[in-house]
Amino acid sequence: MRLTATVLSALDARELADFYRRLLDWTVVQDEPGWVTLRPPDGGAGLSFQSEPDYIPPVWPASGGDQRMMAHLDIHVDDLAEASRRAEAVGARLADYQPQDDVRVYLDPSGHPFCLFT
């Protein structure tokens, strides 16, 4: 067995894939209606995006009956300040709640949390 991709749901797979393509500088390797796959230059596991018409964004941090995140992406960076500027420039939103000083939690355009860390 070999893991090939993590799949994130969104209202619009292409829109979310384009965000991560610009953030990570990865290549689109599959683009079909409702499904897009990105791969990194080194050929490792990629990210896929699936359109879901009933998609409900997760809430970070969740409480009570909120839609909870099922997974999040951890992205290692060399320079946290520079990576944060890049994330915001391509459309990420800094989460209101930041649990650690050396990690920045962002929300992608579909509301999925992801972490930048050094």
Side-chain angles (χ1 to χ4, degrees):
M1 286 187 230
R2 181 174 61 104
L3 177 68
T4 59
T6 297
V7 181
L8 297 177
S9 295
L11 284 175
D12 185 331
R14 283 191 176 125
E15 178 184 327
L16 190 56
D18 187 56
F19 166 79
Y20 281 102
R21 180 191 59 76
R22 291 179 291 130
L23 178 69
L24 300 170
D25 200 24
W26 286 10
T27 302
V28 174
V29 296
Q30 185 178 10
D31 187 350
E32 299 175 9
W35 185 270
V36 179
T37 299
L38 304 178
R39 293 263 184 254
D42 67 5
L47 286 172
S48 294
F49 306 89
Q50 176 176 308
S51 293
E52 294 282 350
D54 297 327
Y55 174 74
I56 298 171
V59 175
W60 169 255
S63 65
D66 291 341
Q67 175 67 37
R68 296 182 181 273
M69 70 173 168
M70 300 299 285
H72 71 274
L73 302 176
D74 281 344
I75 301 170
H76 179 264
V77 300
D78 294 326
D79 182 327
L80 189 55
E82 177 57 33
S84 294
R85 283 189 289 276
R86 178 182 177 120
E88 291 174 17
V90 299
R93 182 174 57 84
L94 185 65
D96 292 335
Y97 177 66
Q98 298 294 317
Q100 298 166 278
D101 292 336
D102 59 344
V103 175
R104 292 293 172 274
V105 179
Y106 278 91
L107 304 175
D108 70 22
S110 291
H112 298 284
F114 65 93
C115 296
L116 302 178
F117 71 97
T118 54

